[in-house]
Amino acid sequence: MTVLVFGGNGQVGQELLRALAPLGQVIATTRSGLLPDGVACETADFGQPDSLPALLDRLQPSVVVNAAAYTAVDRAEQDVEAAFTANAQAPGVIARWCAAHGVPLVHYSTDYVFDGQGTAPYREDEPTAPLGVYGTSKRYGEDAVRAAGGHHLIFRTAWVYASHGANFLRTMLRVGAEREELRVVADQIGTPTPAVLIAEVTAKALQHPEQLSGTWHLTASGQTSWHGFAEAIFAEAVSAGLLTRAPHVHAISSAEYPTPARRPAWSVLDNAKLQQDFGIVLPPWREGLQRVIGQLRAQR
């Protein structure tokens, strides 16, 4: 089996390169043609979707996993064309090639396709109503993958973080080491989800005996606020010896921390369907945090 991973330098992409390795040959692509460690890989520019079929024709993968995306949520409000090109047009081009060649496609989406006005975890079949450009572009990407008509697995996830890359966990560890007090939003609720969990679930799903096609919610289990996540990060970091003390975390409202793009206030996704369909147990978010903190400690 040859697995082509678009976005091999992202948080999920890097974990996919490790998690998918037992399945066969894994080919990574990045926009620059280089992985974070400087190793050369294939070049794929999602800003030029028409260039992608030639790459696919040359490599002839047996599975395609698309972990590439435009993820700058605030910048997308002004950079509309780039967001839609990367998040909607490029996945559509890839999905149509996969459908024409009988190749399964894994594509990742986001909690931002919902408006955040819910009070119970969102199911896969509930109406989407994105609040901004990023969420809208990702919803169009989902639609393009489905419309292609091929075998596809769309995994919506949320609050992704890892021991590498730019993310909330690493930001908190950096500023927590520098400051005695922090202010973190407490009225946005979701589920912190490690990139390593997303990658490992993807690998298991691709080994599932049934050729399932559809949309699933792939997050850790449980829920918290950004404020609660921050406090948990500091508690685990102190316990692991990554920090000598935990700063005081003040709870603030979203109104006190305005951003160009509106965030969903409620981002909890119901992951029961994924667990049932693939026979996978999705662990509590705090357990995932402990695992990633352990990775950071091992890197020291």
Side-chain angles (χ1 to χ4, degrees), residues 260-283:
R262 291 174 61 197
R263 266 68 172 170
W266 177 261
S267 286
V268 184
L269 305 180
D270 187 332
N271 58 27
K273 180 172 178 278
L274 185 145
Q275 297 189 79
Q276 179 179 348
D277 287 352
F278 294 101
I280 292 170
V281 176
L282 293 167

Side-chain angles (χ1 to χ4, degrees), residues 68-167:
Y70 185 108
T71 58
V73 175
D74 289 323
R75 194 165 70 236
E77 293 299 307
Q78 301 298 324
D79 203 8
V80 179
E81 183 177 355
F84 272 85
T85 300
N87 292 344
Q89 294 178 28
V93 168
I94 294 167
R96 289 189 289 275
W97 186 94
C98 288
H101 293 78
V103 172
L105 169 64
V106 177
H107 177 72
Y108 300 100
S109 191
T110 172
D111 57 304
Y112 277 64
V113 300
F114 297 108
D115 65 8
Q117 300 303 304
T119 56
Y122 285 109
R123 300 187 312 275
E124 289 83 352
D125 59 357
E126 293 192 58
T128 55
L131 298 175
V133 171
Y134 169 70
T136 303
S137 68
K138 292 296 288 183
R139 183 180 67 177
Y140 273 75
E142 288 187 9
D143 292 343
V145 170
R146 296 187 190 103
H151 176 205
H152 64 271
L153 298 91
I154 298 173
F155 292 130
R156 290 183 185 140
T157 189
W159 293 28
V160 180
Y161 68 98
S163 61
H164 48 81
N167 56 64

Side-chain angles (χ1 to χ4, degrees), residues 220-233:
S221 296
Q223 63 194 61
T224 189
S225 65
W226 289 113
H227 176 267
F229 187 26
E231 289 201 313
I233 289 169

Side-chain angles (χ1 to χ4, degrees), residues 6-270:
F6 287 105
N9 57 340
Q11 293 184 91
V12 175
Q14 290 184 59
E15 298 294 348
L16 282 167
L17 299 185
R18 288 188 280 268
L20 298 176
L23 302 186
Q25 181 188 16
V26 180
I27 301 173
T29 81
T30 66
R31 187 169 187 170
S32 67
L34 293 173
L35 292 170
D37 59 4
V39 173
C41 65
E42 295 287 343
T43 301
D45 185 357
F46 271 44
Q48 302 291 331
D50 291 344
S51 67
L52 300 176
L55 173 69
L56 290 159
D57 284 339
R58 176 167 60 82
L59 297 176
Q60 290 292 314
S62 43
V63 176
V64 174
V65 182
N66 178 31
Y70 185 108
T71 58
V73 175
D74 289 323
R75 194 165 70 236
E77 293 299 307
Q78 301 298 324
D79 203 8
V80 179
E81 183 177 355
F84 272 85
T85 300
N87 292 344
Q89 294 178 28
V93 168
I94 294 167
R96 289 189 289 275
W97 186 94
C98 288
H101 293 78
V103 172
L105 169 64
V106 177
H107 177 72
Y108 300 100
S109 191
T110 172
D111 57 304
Y112 277 64
V113 300
F114 297 108
D115 65 8
Q117 300 303 304
T119 56
Y122 285 109
R123 300 187 312 275
E124 289 83 352
D125 59 357
E126 293 192 58
T128 55
L131 298 175
V133 171
Y134 169 70
T136 303
S137 68
K138 292 296 288 183
R139 183 180 67 177
Y140 273 75
E142 288 187 9
D143 292 343
V145 170
R146 296 187 190 103
H151 176 205
H152 64 271
L153 298 91
I154 298 173
F155 292 130
R156 290 183 185 140
T157 189
W159 293 28
V160 180
Y161 68 98
S163 61
H164 48 81
N167 56 64
F168 184 80
L169 166 73
R170 285 168 55 86
T171 297
M172 287 298 101
L173 291 176
R174 176 176 54 79
V175 298
E178 299 168 351
R179 307 177 195 171
E180 295 185 359
E181 297 186 16
L182 298 173
R183 290 154 48 89
V184 179
V185 169
D187 59 359
Q188 294 174 22
I189 309 299
T191 306
T193 302
V196 63
L197 174 65
I198 297 168
E200 289 174 354
V201 169
T202 299
K204 291 177 182 177
L206 288 173
Q207 298 174 73
H208 203 270
E210 298 177 42
Q211 292 294 300
L212 298 176
S213 195
T215 302
W216 293 267
H217 289 166
L218 198 177
T219 65
S221 296
Q223 63 194 61
T224 189
S225 65
W226 289 113
H227 176 267
F229 187 26
E231 289 201 313
I233 289 169
F234 294 132
E236 296 294 344
V238 170
S239 178
L242 297 181
L243 293 176
T244 56
R245 52 99 185 108
H248 181 71
V249 186
H250 296 278
I252 63 171
S253 69
S254 298
E256 295 176 85
Y257 189 76
T259 55
R262 291 174 61 197
R263 266 68 172 170
W266 177 261
S267 286
V268 184
L269 305 180
D270 187 332

